[in-house]
Amino acid sequence: MAKQRRSGTEPELALRRELHRRGLRYFVDRAPLPGQRRRADLVFPRRRVAVYVDGCFWHRCPQHATDPKNNARWWADKLQGNVARDRATDAALADAGWVVVRVWEHEDAVAAADRVQASLDAG
């Protein structure tokens, strides 16, 4: 797990390139709320929008999630904990007035950028 990239993954870079091409500027790998250890992949602080690019395996994508056979119980608990942490983060940010956009790693970067831009335009 230590070899897993925390930021700068290919899906994240594709989304960042598309948003930058549209003239949007953002912070990378930053905690939206002060004192919070949970960092968003992209943050638009003035518009209070946090974007997370979630990996299908680590965040249990409904289309692509797989269940490891070795040490199955440990992995099930670990992955379910990731999902619970994601929901708690979403709730904490919503309570603080933020909009959270979650993008799956398999999503098209242009479509994901459209969703991010729609969230920015709504706020």
Side-chain angles (χ1 to χ4, degrees):
M1 281 188 287
K3 291 186 179 185
Q4 295 298 314
R5 296 187 85 157
R6 188 170 106 168
S7 67
T9 62
E10 192 56 41
E12 182 185 332
L13 292 175
L15 177 60
R16 284 167 41 187
R17 280 191 294 270
E18 179 60 25
L19 292 171
H20 195 272
R21 188 187 67 73
R22 296 177 185 203
L24 298 172
R25 301 301 180 258
Y26 43 80
F27 289 95
V28 176
D29 191 31
R30 183 175 178 179
L33 298 176
Q36 185 183 49
R37 288 185 47 209
R38 298 172 188 165
R39 302 169 73 84
D41 295 310
L42 305 173
V43 178
F44 299 87
R46 289 190 185 132
R47 297 186 183 166
R48 298 174 75 88
V49 173
V51 180
Y52 294 86
V53 181
D54 291 339
C56 291
F57 174 76
W58 295 104
H59 299 271
R60 307 298 292 157
C61 167
Q63 293 176 341
H64 302 113
T66 58
D67 295 317
K69 302 275 187 272
N70 291 336
N71 209 0
R73 182 76 257 146
W74 185 87
W75 277 108
D77 292 344
K78 164 71 176 147
L79 298 174
Q80 190 54 42
N82 290 352
V83 173
R85 186 179 62 243
D86 291 345
R87 299 297 80 80
T89 299
D90 294 349
L93 288 171
D95 289 346
W98 284 73
V99 173
V100 176
V101 179
R102 293 230 175 234
V103 176
W104 289 110
E105 69 177 333
H106 65 266
E107 284 187 63
D108 176 61
V110 173
D114 288 343
R115 289 195 305 123
V116 172
Q117 191 159 20
S119 294
L120 293 168
D121 292 343

